[in-house]
């Protein structure tokens, strides 16, 4: 079974998107209107990435892009898996409090 968690952006809630998701047989998990608690980029990615490049001076945008790509490629598969698994309890907690902000 495929569980899909996405925000309530218009492209995600359009009739065409909903029809395609139904056709694929996926289950869409409820998502509060705005919840950074449910964005893996916010709770799992950005902190460690900022730590990794903190203090680095970049000459241009391309240097930043290259540094981020190198860092992302250097993470073990288990690191990405850990972030996705951490999403489950966060989702449950966020839904229980009806979307109120959970983490500081």
């Amino acid at each position: 079974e495929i569980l899909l968690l996405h925000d309530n952006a218009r492209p995600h809630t359009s009739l065409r998107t909903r029809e395609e998701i139904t056709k694929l047989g996926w289950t869409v998990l409820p998502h509060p209107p705005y919840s950074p608690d449910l964005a893996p980029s916010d709770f799992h990615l950005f902190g460690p990435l900022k730590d990794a490049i903190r203090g680095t001076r970049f000459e241009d945008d391309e240097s930043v892009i290259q540094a981020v790509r190198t860092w992302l490629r250097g993470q073990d598969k288990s690191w990405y898996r850990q972030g996705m698994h951490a999403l489950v309890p966060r989702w449950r907690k966020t839904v229980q409090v009806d979307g109120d902000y959970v983490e500081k």
Side-chain angles (χ1 to χ4, degrees), residues 7-60:
D7 61 19
N8 298 313
R10 287 183 188 226
H12 300 160
T13 59
S14 73
L15 178 59
R16 185 171 180 189
T17 300
R18 289 182 286 132
E19 288 174 344
E20 189 64 25
I21 290 168
T22 299
K23 186 171 99 178
L24 292 168
W26 295 356
T27 300
V28 177
L29 299 172
H31 192 288
Y34 173 74
S35 181
D37 295 310
L38 298 180
S41 55
D42 287 348
F43 74 79
H44 187 69
L45 172 66
F46 292 145
L49 174 58
K50 284 179 4 183
D51 289 343
I53 63 174
R54 181 172 282 121
T56 305
R57 295 224 179 252
F58 297 101
E59 295 295 320
D60 54 26

Side-chain angles (χ1 to χ4, degrees), residues 55-86:
T56 305
R57 295 224 179 252
F58 297 101
E59 295 295 320
D60 54 26
D61 290 350
E62 190 55 42
S63 299
V64 177
I65 292 167
Q66 187 58 44
V68 170
R69 283 183 178 156
T70 299
W71 184 83
L72 289 170
R73 290 177 182 142
Q75 302 312 302
D76 189 67
K77 289 179 184 180
S78 63
W79 184 83
Y80 291 99
R81 188 176 302 113
Q82 176 187 358
M84 292 299 103
H85 285 286

